[in-house]
Amino acid sequence: MFDAGNISDAAGRVRKIYAIGVDLRRAARFGEAINAFREAACLADDLAADIDHIEMESADEIRDMKNALLEIRSRALASVELIQEINGFVNADLMNP
């Protein structure tokens, strides 16, 4: 469970893990990138679920933080799907002699 004191740190950690996944994907280290993206998505889910229970100065702050986390989660899961498509690509024309 998170509290208002470490919510920014946890959100920063989610962003950092996502950025690591992006760097790994660019370096074609797809397995490690998938792991990083999945970890970022999982942490974003956990944090977004817990954020509703945190008292912050304004409801707008809570909504903005939750939306940012859900955006990171969405991008991370989309990146996992993209990498899986790349890894599973088969050019059928090259398979016909």
Side-chain angles (χ1 to χ4, degrees):
M1 183 78 132
F2 298 98
D3 61 19
N6 65 4
I7 192 81
S8 300
D9 294 338
R13 195 169 76 238
V14 170
R15 288 185 193 98
K16 182 177 179 181
I17 293 169
Y18 176 78
I20 289 169
V22 170
D23 290 341
L24 290 167
R25 183 182 63 207
R26 287 182 183 154
R29 294 168 59 185
F30 296 133
E32 294 172 64
I34 286 174
N35 291 338
F37 287 133
R38 286 191 173 150
E39 182 180 355
C42 182
L43 286 174
D45 266 345
D46 292 345
L47 190 55
D50 286 343
I51 206 167
D52 291 331
H53 306 292
I54 296 171
E55 294 290 327
M56 291 193 178
E57 292 181 10
S58 69
D60 291 338
E61 185 179 355
I62 293 171
R63 187 183 65 246
D64 292 345
M65 179 70 74
K66 190 170 184 176
N67 288 341
L69 288 166
L70 294 177
E71 168 107 11
I72 291 171
R73 178 190 176 276
S74 175
R75 287 181 180 200
L77 294 176
S79 293
V80 169
E81 288 179 25
L82 173 68
I83 291 170
Q84 288 174 335
E85 281 184 36
I86 291 169
N87 284 339
F89 175 75
V90 175
N91 188 341
D93 292 336
L94 292 177
M95 297 183 80
N96 294 327

